[in-house]
Amino acid sequence: MSDVYTSLPLTAQTADMTYPLVQMLQVDMSFDRWRTFVDRYCMPVTHDVSNITCDGDNILWQRQRGLIVVANERGYIHGLFSYYVRDDMADGMVLHVDNIIAVEIVTGDHVLDAMRDAMTRLASIHGCHNVYVSLGELDERLQTYFARAGFTPSKVRYCAPATPKLSA
């Protein structure tokens, strides 16, 4: 069943198609905010890929930062994640994955399996030593999936407003 799903880099054509999926989990996300995020996040290929033999679609996998969508054989989008590649002081090149949205229509982890395959592909293309996945602290389904896939907690992230609140 998981081979029925295909992972592809987000393009201008698929960006609009993903909005209903994004809005399912981010109900306050406006269409304009989504498009702004996509336009800023999907960076062009920046490093030399002149000696890589691949077709036009595969060149999009070379982006240092972007979004990957998971579609079924009919082209319906069932999931997405954002990623960026960076050099980590301790781990070398790492793939950071965030904003995971996966809707499974049938029982199983088919969409998540396709996402995991895409993460493996991105890590290989970019020479990453590790893949870091950021999950919402209350998303037990995703935590369980990634724990079963061999991920362990590492480098806990904290979040605070850019403008600190004044203490009383």
Side-chain angles (χ1 to χ4, degrees), residues 4-78:
V4 199
Y5 292 96
T6 305
S7 298
L8 341 145
L10 187 80
T11 64
Q13 293 77 22
T14 54
D16 293 353
M17 291 172 39
T18 58
Y19 179 66
L21 177 71
V22 170
Q23 201 175 37
M24 282 175 53
L25 297 176
Q26 298 289 329
V27 294
D28 59 343
M29 171 93 50
S30 70
F31 181 76
D32 290 339
R33 171 67 184 113
W34 171 243
R35 285 307 306 218
T36 299
F37 176 78
V38 168
D39 292 344
R40 288 184 181 157
Y41 210 87
C42 292
M43 302 298 290
V45 176
T46 57
H47 58 283
D48 180 25
V49 292
S50 58
N51 56 353
I52 296 174
T53 58
C54 58
D55 59 47
D57 290 338
N58 285 333
I59 198 77
L60 295 176
W61 289 87
Q62 298 295 322
R63 290 191 262 193
Q64 293 291 110
R65 182 171 83 180
L67 288 111
I68 300 294
V69 297
V70 176
N72 68 7
E73 69 279 2
R74 293 184 175 165
Y76 294 113
I77 308 291
H78 287 259

XYZ file of all heavy atoms in Angstrom, residues 4-78:
613
model
N 1.856 3.065 -3.202
C 0.852 3.814 -3.945
C 1.063 5.316 -3.730
O 0.557 6.123 -4.483
C -0.577 3.446 -3.474
C -1.609 3.848 -4.505
C -0.713 2.000 -3.134
N 1.818 5.670 -2.709
C 2.082 7.067 -2.403
C 3.428 7.476 -2.964
O 4.393 6.718 -2.922
C 2.057 7.297 -0.894
C 0.674 7.134 -0.311
C 0.276 5.931 0.262
C -0.228 8.182 -0.344
C -0.988 5.779 0.780
C -1.502 8.048 0.182
C -1.879 6.840 0.748
O -3.127 6.693 1.252
N 3.476 8.691 -3.476
C 4.689 9.236 -4.052
C 5.057 10.523 -3.326
O 4.178 11.346 -3.063
C 4.463 9.563 -5.548
O 3.990 8.394 -6.205
C 5.737 10.043 -6.197
N 6.323 10.683 -3.029
C 6.812 11.922 -2.420
C 7.428 12.782 -3.500
O 8.214 12.289 -4.310
C 7.863 11.616 -1.358
O 7.305 10.859 -0.322
N 7.079 14.054 -3.495
C 7.618 14.984 -4.481
C 7.891 16.332 -3.847
O 7.152 16.757 -2.959
C 6.613 15.234 -5.620
C 5.479 14.319 -5.894
C 4.282 15.105 -6.372
C 5.952 13.453 -7.037
N 8.891 17.029 -4.328
C 9.114 18.392 -3.856
C 7.931 19.285 -4.245
O 7.375 19.149 -5.331
C 10.387 18.830 -4.583
C 11.077 17.547 -4.941
C 9.967 16.575 -5.219
N 7.561 20.160 -3.345
C 6.476 21.099 -3.611
C 6.877 22.045 -4.740
O 8.018 22.499 -4.806
C 6.178 21.917 -2.353
C 4.966 22.830 -2.433
C 3.696 22.026 -2.220
C 5.067 23.918 -1.396
N 5.928 22.312 -5.624
C 6.145 23.257 -6.717
C 5.040 24.300 -6.669
O 4.090 24.181 -5.887
C 6.086 22.545 -8.086
O 4.761 22.018 -8.265
C 7.119 21.445 -8.190
N 5.144 25.293 -7.514
C 4.096 26.313 -7.592
C 2.754 25.668 -7.926
O 1.710 26.103 -7.427
C 4.466 27.367 -8.635
N 2.764 24.617 -8.733
C 1.522 23.954 -9.118
C 0.889 23.188 -7.952
O -0.322 23.136 -7.834
C 1.746 22.992 -10.292
C 2.120 23.660 -11.598
C 3.587 24.105 -11.644
O 4.431 23.607 -10.923
N 3.875 25.070 -12.496
N 1.701 22.575 -7.102
C 1.142 21.791 -5.999
C 0.927 22.617 -4.734
O 0.233 22.166 -3.826
C 2.032 20.575 -5.665
O 3.368 21.011 -5.411
C 2.003 19.554 -6.777
N 1.476 23.811 -4.662
C 1.335 24.641 -3.456
C -0.123 24.950 -3.158
O -0.570 24.841 -2.010
C 2.144 25.926 -3.593
N -0.876 25.348 -4.178
C -2.288 25.674 -3.960
C -3.083 24.422 -3.576
O -3.991 24.491 -2.754
C -2.899 26.315 -5.201
C -2.319 27.691 -5.489
O -1.542 28.212 -4.651
O -2.635 28.254 -6.552
N -2.730 23.280 -4.152
C -3.433 22.035 -3.857
C -3.232 21.593 -2.403
O -4.067 20.859 -1.863
C -2.952 20.919 -4.785
C -3.358 21.096 -6.223
S -2.596 19.898 -7.362
C -2.593 18.376 -6.470
N -2.140 22.000 -1.771
C -1.851 21.566 -0.407
C -2.565 22.402 0.644
O -2.663 21.982 1.792
C -0.337 21.619 -0.129
O 0.117 22.942 -0.337
C 0.417 20.643 -0.988
N -3.072 23.566 0.252
C -3.678 24.464 1.236
C -4.813 23.815 2.036
O -4.837 23.951 3.270
C -4.136 25.766 0.577
C -4.796 26.706 1.552
C -4.072 27.270 2.594
C -6.148 26.998 1.457
C -4.685 28.117 3.510
C -6.767 27.836 2.362
C -6.033 28.393 3.389
O -6.636 29.224 4.294
N -5.765 23.103 1.428
C -6.813 22.472 2.245
C -6.252 21.514 3.298
O -6.753 21.469 4.429
C -7.664 21.725 1.222
C -7.437 22.466 -0.057
C -5.999 22.914 -0.006
N -5.203 20.785 2.965
C -4.573 19.888 3.934
C -3.964 20.691 5.079
O -4.151 20.362 6.248
C -3.494 19.042 3.252
C -2.692 18.112 4.152
C -3.574 16.961 4.625
C -1.479 17.590 3.424
N -3.247 21.743 4.753
C -2.622 22.587 5.770
C -3.695 23.187 6.671
O -3.561 23.209 7.899
C -1.777 23.701 5.116
C -1.326 24.719 6.131
C -0.586 23.086 4.395
N -4.781 23.648 6.088
C -5.830 24.298 6.856
C -6.566 23.322 7.784
O -7.100 23.733 8.806
C -6.810 24.989 5.929
C -7.600 26.065 6.647
C -8.492 26.848 5.729
O -9.065 26.298 4.800
N -8.611 28.128 5.998
N -6.554 22.039 7.456
C -7.165 21.050 8.350
C -6.514 21.076 9.721
O -7.179 20.927 10.743
C -7.045 19.644 7.759
C -8.030 19.338 6.668
S -7.758 17.703 5.908
C -7.740 16.618 7.322
N -5.210 21.253 9.756
C -4.496 21.235 11.031
C -4.090 22.620 11.519
O -3.773 22.802 12.679
C -3.282 20.326 10.928
C -3.628 18.861 10.666
C -2.382 18.033 10.489
C -4.479 18.299 11.787
N -4.067 23.577 10.628
C -3.745 24.961 10.980
C -4.933 25.829 10.558
O -4.849 26.555 9.573
C -2.468 25.420 10.266
C -1.231 24.645 10.613
C -0.764 24.940 12.026
O -0.956 26.035 12.542
N -0.157 23.958 12.667
N -6.021 25.745 11.301
C -7.271 26.370 10.876
C -7.177 27.886 10.727
O -7.929 28.478 9.955
C -8.445 26.008 11.818
C -8.760 24.538 11.719
C -8.136 26.400 13.248
N -6.259 28.500 11.420
C -6.128 29.958 11.318
C -5.157 30.402 10.220
O -4.917 31.590 10.040
C -5.705 30.556 12.665
C -4.386 29.991 13.171
O -3.953 28.928 12.679
O -3.787 30.613 14.069
N -4.628 29.472 9.454
C -3.690 29.801 8.375
C -4.472 30.303 7.163
O -5.259 29.571 6.580
C -2.860 28.575 7.991
C -2.007 28.726 6.751
S -0.312 29.254 6.974
C 0.341 28.195 8.197
N -4.215 31.542 6.770
C -4.875 32.079 5.577
C -4.142 31.582 4.326
O -2.978 31.181 4.387
C -4.872 33.608 5.604
O -3.552 34.090 5.403
N -4.832 31.633 3.213
C -4.218 31.233 1.953
C -3.001 32.112 1.640
O -1.955 31.607 1.224
C -5.244 31.313 0.812
C -4.677 30.899 -0.513
C -4.478 29.566 -0.802
C -4.332 31.856 -1.466
C -3.931 29.177 -2.022
C -3.790 31.469 -2.679
C -3.593 30.131 -2.962
N -3.128 33.419 1.867
C -2.006 34.327 1.605
C -0.803 34.009 2.488
O 0.336 34.043 2.025
C -2.430 35.786 1.803
C -3.389 36.261 0.728
O -3.427 35.654 -0.368
O -4.113 37.249 0.985
N -1.050 33.687 3.762
C 0.055 33.335 4.669
C 0.721 32.035 4.188
O 1.938 31.911 4.222
C -0.469 33.178 6.098
C 0.542 32.605 7.068
C 1.715 33.545 7.328
N 2.677 32.908 8.187
C 3.918 32.555 7.810
N 4.351 32.831 6.600
N 4.739 31.968 8.642
N -0.073 31.059 3.747
C 0.473 29.803 3.228
C 1.356 30.072 2.024
O 2.477 29.575 1.928
C -0.645 28.827 2.898
C -0.180 27.603 2.158
C -0.546 27.224 0.909
C 0.763 26.617 2.602
N 0.103 26.057 0.545
C 0.913 25.667 1.573
C 1.495 26.450 3.782
C 1.752 24.570 1.686
C 2.344 25.344 3.879
C 2.469 24.425 2.845
N 0.873 30.850 1.068
C 1.660 31.140 -0.137
C 2.931 31.907 0.205
O 3.990 31.663 -0.390
C 0.821 31.925 -1.151
C -0.221 31.097 -1.884
C 0.380 29.874 -2.530
N 1.491 30.212 -3.394
C 1.778 29.661 -4.549
N 1.024 28.709 -5.003
N 2.812 30.037 -5.260
N 2.859 32.825 1.157
C 4.057 33.554 1.573
C 5.075 32.594 2.173
O 6.274 32.652 1.867
C 3.697 34.656 2.592
O 2.797 35.576 1.962
C 4.928 35.391 3.079
N 4.607 31.678 3.026
C 5.497 30.678 3.618
C 6.156 29.840 2.528
O 7.373 29.638 2.525
C 4.728 29.783 4.596
C 5.565 28.674 5.172
C 6.462 28.930 6.191
C 5.464 27.372 4.688
C 7.246 27.906 6.727
C 6.233 26.352 5.214
C 7.130 26.620 6.235
N 5.354 29.352 1.601
C 5.877 28.523 0.507
C 6.901 29.301 -0.306
O 7.992 28.802 -0.594
C 4.723 28.024 -0.399
C 5.261 27.424 -1.688
C 3.862 27.021 0.344
N 6.577 30.527 -0.677
C 7.482 31.329 -1.505
C 8.808 31.610 -0.808
O 9.862 31.620 -1.444
C 6.819 32.648 -1.896
C 5.651 32.449 -2.848
O 5.537 31.340 -3.439
O 4.839 33.383 -2.992
N 8.776 31.796 0.498
C 10.010 32.072 1.244
C 10.772 30.798 1.581
O 11.985 30.818 1.714
C 9.686 32.823 2.531
C 9.266 34.237 2.284
C 9.043 34.970 3.569
N 8.611 36.327 3.309
C 7.947 37.064 4.168
N 7.653 36.591 5.356
N 7.589 38.287 3.850
N 10.047 29.706 1.753
C 10.682 28.471 2.218
C 11.293 27.654 1.092
O 12.330 27.026 1.279
C 9.684 27.610 2.996
C 10.354 26.788 4.054
C 10.579 27.312 5.314
C 10.804 25.504 3.791
C 11.229 26.575 6.284
C 11.447 24.763 4.753
C 11.662 25.307 6.000
O 12.322 24.580 6.952
N 10.662 27.625 -0.039
C 11.164 26.814 -1.148
C 12.266 27.565 -1.879
O 12.000 28.357 -2.782
C 10.031 26.441 -2.105
S 8.870 25.298 -1.350
N 13.467 27.315 -1.467
C 14.622 28.000 -2.027
C 15.072 27.328 -3.327
O 14.905 26.127 -3.493
C 15.789 27.969 -1.030
C 15.466 28.594 0.301
S 15.058 30.341 0.191
C 16.645 31.008 -0.219
N 15.660 28.106 -4.220
C 16.204 27.498 -5.440
C 17.436 26.652 -5.112
O 18.017 26.774 -4.045
C 16.586 28.709 -6.294
C 16.764 29.823 -5.319
C 15.849 29.542 -4.164
N 17.798 25.801 -6.043
C 19.016 25.004 -5.888
C 20.189 25.968 -5.884
O 20.324 26.792 -6.783
C 19.145 23.980 -7.036
C 20.453 23.228 -6.932
C 17.962 23.026 -7.021
N 21.052 25.885 -4.840
C 22.135 26.860 -4.709
C 23.524 26.282 -4.913
O 24.445 27.013 -5.205
C 22.094 27.523 -3.327
O 22.162 26.502 -2.326
C 20.831 28.341 -3.149
N 23.695 24.981 -4.731
C 25.039 24.433 -4.922
C 25.163 23.811 -6.314
O 24.185 23.604 -7.000
C 25.401 23.448 -3.803
C 24.453 22.299 -3.666
N 23.227 22.415 -3.062
C 24.562 21.023 -4.084
C 22.621 21.247 -3.097
N 23.405 20.388 -3.711
N 26.401 23.540 -6.706
C 26.664 23.057 -8.058
C 26.118 21.648 -8.257
O 26.504 20.711 -7.567
C 28.171 23.063 -8.319
C 28.505 22.577 -9.725
O 27.636 22.689 -10.614
O 29.636 22.098 -9.927
N 25.181 21.522 -9.175
C 24.626 20.207 -9.500
C 24.869 19.888 -10.969
O 24.218 19.038 -11.544
C 23.105 20.147 -9.184
C 22.867 20.226 -7.702
C 22.343 21.219 -9.928
N 25.838 20.546 -11.583
C 26.065 20.396 -13.018
C 26.527 18.993 -13.403
O 26.284 18.554 -14.510
C 27.084 21.428 -13.506
O 28.295 21.273 -12.796
N 27.169 18.284 -12.478
C 27.645 16.953 -12.827
C 26.721 15.846 -12.327
O 27.078 14.688 -12.329
C 29.073 16.736 -12.299
C 29.166 16.961 -10.810
O 28.217 17.391 -10.177
N 30.329 16.680 -10.258
N 25.503 16.221 -11.899
C 24.524 15.229 -11.477
C 23.590 14.946 -12.642
O 23.041 15.860 -13.230
C 23.715 15.727 -10.255
C 24.646 15.912 -9.055
C 22.587 14.774 -9.933
C 23.971 16.540 -7.862
N 23.464 13.678 -12.985
C 22.576 13.332 -14.087
C 21.209 12.977 -13.526
O 21.052 11.962 -12.859
C 23.145 12.140 -14.886
O 23.311 11.046 -13.996
C 24.455 12.495 -15.537
N 20.255 13.859 -13.745
C 18.891 13.607 -13.292
C 17.939 14.436 -14.136
O 18.341 15.394 -14.771
C 18.716 13.940 -11.816
S 19.103 15.633 -11.383
N 16.676 14.047 -14.122
C 15.713 14.801 -14.899
C 15.301 16.059 -14.147
O 15.686 16.280 -13.003
C 14.502 13.939 -15.261
C 13.777 13.403 -14.044
O 13.520 14.179 -13.112
O 13.448 12.205 -14.035
N 14.490 16.880 -14.780
C 14.099 18.161 -14.219
C 13.405 18.060 -12.880
O 13.597 18.896 -12.010
N 12.566 17.030 -12.675
C 11.881 16.881 -11.398
C 12.863 16.559 -10.276
O 12.721 17.040 -9.162
C 10.824 15.778 -11.479
C 9.642 16.193 -12.345
O 9.433 17.409 -12.527
O 8.947 15.296 -12.835
N 13.856 15.734 -10.558
C 14.800 15.342 -9.518
C 15.696 16.482 -9.067
O 16.202 16.458 -7.955
C 15.646 14.162 -9.984
C 14.855 12.875 -9.972
O 13.910 12.725 -9.207
N 15.221 11.955 -10.834
N 15.890 17.483 -9.883
C 16.735 18.612 -9.494
C 16.143 19.343 -8.294
O 16.870 19.910 -7.480
C 16.985 19.568 -10.701
C 18.184 20.480 -10.437
C 15.775 20.402 -11.004
C 19.491 19.797 -10.607
N 14.827 19.292 -8.140
C 14.193 19.953 -7.003
C 14.578 19.310 -5.671
O 14.528 19.956 -4.629
C 12.670 19.963 -7.170
C 12.146 20.790 -8.338
C 10.633 20.652 -8.457
C 12.541 22.252 -8.187
N 14.978 18.038 -5.703
C 15.443 17.383 -4.479
C 16.766 17.971 -4.003
O 17.177 17.740 -2.869
C 15.580 15.876 -4.702
C 14.270 15.173 -4.833
C 13.552 14.992 -5.978
C 13.508 14.573 -3.798
N 12.398 14.309 -5.714
C 12.341 14.027 -4.379
C 13.703 14.429 -2.427
C 11.369 13.370 -3.625
C 12.730 13.757 -1.686
C 11.582 13.242 -2.290
N 17.442 18.738 -4.855
C 18.726 19.342 -4.503
C 18.578 20.599 -3.643
O 19.564 21.119 -3.134
C 19.502 19.706 -5.778
C 19.836 18.522 -6.652
C 20.799 17.578 -5.963
O 21.707 18.001 -5.262
N 20.591 16.296 -6.146
N 17.366 21.110 -3.504
C 17.171 22.329 -2.699
C 17.630 22.105 -1.269
O 17.346 21.085 -0.669
C 15.692 22.727 -2.662
C 15.170 23.240 -3.963
C 13.810 23.857 -3.765
N 12.778 22.894 -4.129
C 11.506 23.206 -4.301
N 11.086 24.439 -4.117
N 10.629 22.304 -4.628
N 18.319 23.097 -0.723
C 18.782 23.042 0.666
C 17.615 23.195 1.639
O 17.735 22.842 2.798
C 19.802 24.145 0.930
C 21.100 23.977 0.177
C 21.898 22.816 0.690
O 22.030 21.803 0.021
N 22.455 22.940 1.877
N 16.521 23.760 1.149
C 15.354 24.000 1.994
C 14.117 23.901 1.114
O 14.127 24.370 -0.020
C 15.479 25.392 2.612
C 14.390 25.780 3.544
C 14.723 27.044 4.255
N 14.384 28.174 3.402
C 14.564 29.434 3.744
N 15.129 29.723 4.893
N 14.219 30.407 2.938
N 13.071 23.273 1.620
C 11.863 23.156 0.822
C 10.775 22.402 1.539
O 10.841 22.176 2.743
N 9.782 22.015 0.774
C 8.671 21.223 1.281
C 8.507 20.008 0.391
O 8.695 20.092 -0.818
C 7.365 22.033 1.273
C 7.314 23.115 2.347
C 7.384 24.473 1.711
C 6.053 22.972 3.160
N 8.164 18.887 1.023
C 7.902 17.646 0.307
C 6.437 17.285 0.543
O 5.955 17.353 1.680
C 8.807 16.499 0.814
C 10.286 16.838 0.629
C 8.446 15.182 0.139
C 10.749 16.946 -0.807
N 5.739 16.930 -0.522
C 4.352 16.501 -0.409
C 4.260 15.015 -0.723
O 5.083 14.477 -1.467
C 3.409 17.305 -1.338
C 3.399 18.764 -0.963
C 3.766 17.134 -2.793
N 3.259 14.378 -0.148
C 2.998 12.969 -0.404
C 1.618 12.883 -1.040
O 0.627 13.357 -0.477
C 3.050 12.136 0.892
C 2.681 10.686 0.619
C 4.427 12.231 1.527
N 1.575 12.298 -2.239
C 0.321 12.195 -2.989
C 0.031 10.731 -3.311
O 0.948 9.922 -3.449
C 0.421 12.999 -4.286
N -1.252 10.434 -3.465
C -1.628 9.084 -3.880
C -1.587 8.995 -5.403
O -1.236 9.967 -6.086
C -2.994 8.666 -3.309
C -4.159 9.445 -3.886
O -4.029 10.236 -4.817
N -5.330 9.224 -3.318
N -1.952 7.828 -5.932
C -1.853 7.613 -7.385
C -2.790 8.520 -8.176
O -2.568 8.740 -9.364
C -2.107 6.135 -7.733
C -3.532 5.663 -7.534
C -3.901 5.308 -6.082
O -3.057 5.457 -5.188
O -5.051 4.892 -5.861
N -3.798 9.073 -7.537
C -4.716 10.001 -8.220
C -4.283 11.454 -8.098
O -4.943 12.345 -8.620
C -6.123 9.850 -7.663
C -6.743 8.518 -7.995
C -8.151 8.459 -7.500
N -8.775 7.222 -7.922
C -9.883 6.769 -7.408
N -10.496 7.431 -6.454
N -10.391 5.637 -7.840
N -3.203 11.693 -7.373
C -2.692 13.053 -7.226
C -3.205 13.802 -6.018
O -2.866 14.958 -5.813
N -4.017 13.141 -5.179
C -4.510 13.793 -3.969
C -3.402 13.854 -2.932
O -2.726 12.854 -2.657
C -5.721 13.056 -3.393
C -6.930 13.109 -4.287
C -7.417 11.953 -4.886
C -7.590 14.311 -4.537
C -8.531 11.987 -5.717
C -8.698 14.361 -5.360
C -9.157 13.194 -5.947
O -10.257 13.235 -6.773
N -3.240 15.023 -2.334
C -2.185 15.241 -1.342
C -2.653 14.706 0.007
O -3.697 15.102 0.515
C -1.846 16.746 -1.220
C -1.540 17.366 -2.582
C -0.713 16.954 -0.224
C -0.273 16.905 -3.231
N -1.845 13.811 0.615
C -2.177 13.222 1.910
C -1.196 13.628 3.002
O -1.414 13.284 4.161
C -2.196 11.694 1.812
C -3.378 11.168 1.076
N -4.475 10.646 1.702
C -3.642 11.106 -0.257
C -5.364 10.271 0.803
N -4.885 10.538 -0.395
